[in-house]
Amino acid sequence: ASGETVVCNLQTAGNHSVGLKVSDGAHIAELFRPDFITARPNILYVKKGNANAAFPYDTEEKAAAEIQTAVDAAIDGCTVCLLTDTYTVTAPVTVDKGVTLCGQTGDPDDVVLTCGTKAQSAVKLNHRLARIEGVTVTGATGACAGAIYLNNLGGTASNCIVRGCVFSGGLNDGAAIYATSADSLVTHCVVSNNSISTGCSNSMGRKCAGIVLWSGAKASNCLVASCKYTDSPNDYSPGGIYAKDSYVYNCTVVDCVGTACGGIWSDTSGGIYNSVIAGCNANKKGSGYHSIYSGTSARFHNCAADTEVINATCKKDEANNLFKGYASGNYAPKVGSVLIGNGDPSVSILPEKDLAGNARLSDEGAIDIGAYQSKVEFDVGLKSAGTEFLAPCRVKFEAEVAGV
C-alpha cells in the first residue's frame, strides 16, 4: 500500500542505485533507479594532479585532482582536505556551502595556494558555515578584492597565512583578507608582507594591504605585519586593518604603512579591543593623519601603541619594551610590558588559545593586549657542595632561578 517505508543503511560513500519491487500476490511491479542516492564522505581529499582521481574522493589514493572538483562534490558538513603540496590556483576556489577547506597537517606552511592568474582571489567563501583553515595563500596580484575573500554571506578564515600579495586597481580592491558581513570572521591568521602598489585616487578608504572588514565583520587574534599601501597621494587608506562598522579583537599590527594611517582605521562604528599597534607610519602628514590609527579614538578600548596614547583606556611604550624581540619578529609580550594583563577579558570574542597556541587567559583570568599571551618562563638550576658523599650524609642544595 502507498506510504509503506523501507530503511536502508548505506555503509560506503558514493552513488547507490535503488530498486523497488511490489507484489499483491498475483501481480508484480518493479522500479529501478540507477545512481539514485549519493552518500557523501565526511572527508574528501585533494591531491594535485592525481591521475587516479575517482568520486567520491574519500581516500588519498582516489583524491580529486583539483580543489574545486572536491568542493563541488561536497555538501554541508563535509571537509575538503588538501594533501601537502603547493597548488597553483588559476581561478578562485569558491565555497558557497557549509564546507571546510583545510590543509592536511594543520600547519599552513605545508599547503600553499599560489595564484597563477592576475586580478583574482585564491579562495572565495560565501556561506556563514564555510571555512578555510591551515593553508598559506600567496601571489595574488592585480585588482582583486582579497587573496581570501569572505563574501556577503560570510565565512571564516582560521589559522591561515597570507603573504607576498601585490594589489592594484579599482575602488573596492586590495586586501590580503577581505571580509564583508557580520557572518565573516578572520581569526588566528598571519597577514604579512603584502602591498598595494598603485591606488585608485578616491577618498573612500576601502583599500588596505592587510585586512579589510565591512558591515560587522570581525578579526580576532591575528598578526598583521609589514603590509604597505605606498601609492595614491589622494587616497585615505590604512596599511594594517580597515574596519568599517566592524570589530577587531586582540590583534597585533606592526610595521605597516598607509596613507591616512599606518595601523588601524576604525570607520563609522564598531570597535577595536585589546590590540597593539607599533612601528607603523602614515605617508600623509598633518591634522587628521596618524601613524597609529584613524577614526574616533573612543572606539579603541584597552589598546596599546608605541608613539601615542590613543585614549585613557590605552597604554603606550616603545616597541622594544612592548615585545620580547621586536627587531626579530617575536611579538609576544616582554617581561614587564604594559601589554601584560591590561586587556579586557569581557570582550565578545575570547578563544581558548592565542595565536601561538597558548592559553588566552592567565591563571588569574587576565588577558594581555595583542595576539599573543605572555607565559611565565624561567630557568631552574641546582648548586651543591658536590655530587658524591659518604653515607649517611646530609646534603644542602641551593636553587638557582633566572628569568622571573
Side-chain angles (χ1 to χ4, degrees):
S2 296
E4 294 290 334
T5 61
V6 177
V7 176
C8 180
N9 294 317
L10 303 178
Q11 301 298 326
T12 59
N15 294 324
H16 298 267
S17 300
V18 175
L20 177 65
K21 180 184 286 188
V22 179
S23 174
D24 63 0
H27 306 87
I28 295 176
E30 294 184 86
L31 175 69
F32 181 75
R33 296 281 179 86
D35 297 334
F36 186 62
I37 299 293
T38 300
R40 311 286 176 169
N42 290 324
I43 302 176
L44 297 82
Y45 294 92
V46 180
K47 181 179 181 181
K48 184 173 74 172
N50 186 19
N52 298 314
F55 181 83
Y57 318 119
D58 57 339
T59 67
E60 295 185 17
E61 292 73 20
K62 296 188 294 184
E66 301 289 341
I67 301 172
Q68 191 66 59
T69 301
V71 171
D72 292 343
I75 61 174
D76 288 356
C78 288
T79 295
V80 173
C81 177
L82 309 183
L83 301 185
T84 298
D85 212 327
T86 296
Y87 297 79
T88 299
V89 179
T90 56
V93 175
T94 300
V95 184
D96 56 6
K97 55 189 111 174
V99 168
T100 296
L101 182 66
C102 70
Q104 180 182 19
T105 66
D107 184 344
D109 287 325
D110 290 339
V111 174
V112 178
L113 308 184
T114 181
C115 293
T117 305
K118 290 185 177 182
Q120 69 162 52
S121 300
V123 176
K124 291 184 178 181
L125 306 186
N126 198 30
H127 190 287
R128 67 183 185 87
L129 297 179
R131 294 178 64 90
I132 179 171
E133 55 188 42
V135 304
T136 291
V137 177
T138 187
T141 61
C144 64
I148 296 176
Y149 184 26
L150 311 182
N151 211 338
N152 295 333
L153 298 182
T156 296
S158 175
N159 186 31
C160 292
I161 297 172
V162 183
R163 64 184 177 221
C165 299
V166 180
F167 303 101
S168 63
L171 179 65
N172 293 315
D173 302 322
I177 303 179
Y178 201 101
T180 61
S181 81
D183 287 322
S184 299
L185 173 64
V186 183
T187 183
H188 294 78
C189 291
V190 175
V191 176
S192 65
N193 295 287
N194 304 287
S195 66
I196 299 178
S197 61
T198 57
C200 55
S201 298
N202 72 88
S203 60
M204 299 303 293
R206 299 180 183 181
K207 283 173 165 283
C208 177
I211 298 174
V212 166
L213 306 171
W214 279 83
S215 304
K218 304 170 185 67
S220 169
N221 287 263
C222 293
L223 169 65
V224 182
S226 299
C227 291
K228 300 180 180 181
Y229 190 160
T230 58
D231 201 14
S232 189
N234 296 319
D235 209 335
Y236 294 83
S237 295
I241 299 176
Y242 174 70
K244 182 176 175 63
D245 305 312
S246 296
Y247 301 88
V248 176
Y249 303 93
N250 281 98
C251 288
T252 296
V253 180
V254 292
D255 298 334
C256 294
V257 177
T259 51
C261 76
I264 300 176
W265 184 349
S266 177
D267 194 356
T268 308
S269 67
I272 315 300
Y273 299 85
N274 301 346
S275 295
V276 56
I277 308 165
C280 297
N281 189 37
N283 287 331
K284 287 188 175 184
K285 306 298 180 185
S287 177
Y289 304 106
H290 302 263
S291 296
I292 297 301
Y293 78 99
S294 201
T296 303
S297 63
R299 287 196 289 271
F300 289 75
H301 309 271
N302 298 83
C303 294
D306 61 339
T307 59
E308 60 182 297
V309 179
I310 299 174
N311 61 44
T313 72
C314 300
K315 303 295 181 181
K316 174 198 168 191
D317 205 345
E318 296 179 3
N320 287 328
N321 295 330
L322 294 172
F323 306 116
K324 276 188 177 180
Y326 171 60
S328 62
N330 184 349
Y331 303 116
K334 187 176 183 178
V335 174
S337 171
V338 296
L339 303 179
I340 297 176
N342 282 315
D344 178 5
S346 68
V347 292
S348 61
I349 294 183
L350 186 62
E352 291 185 3
K353 304 292 185 180
D354 71 354
L355 184 56
N358 302 312
R360 184 67 269 195
L361 291 177
S362 70
D363 292 341
E364 295 76 25
I367 187 171
D368 297 346
I369 297 172
Y372 301 93
Q373 190 76 7
S374 58
K375 297 191 301 179
V376 176
E377 295 179 343
F378 52 87
D379 297 320
V380 178
L382 287 174
K383 276 175 52 176
S384 70
T387 59
E388 295 185 6
F389 303 91
L390 183 65
C393 61
R394 183 182 182 190
V395 181
K396 180 181 179 181
F397 294 97
E398 180 182 346
E400 294 181 317
V401 181
V404 176

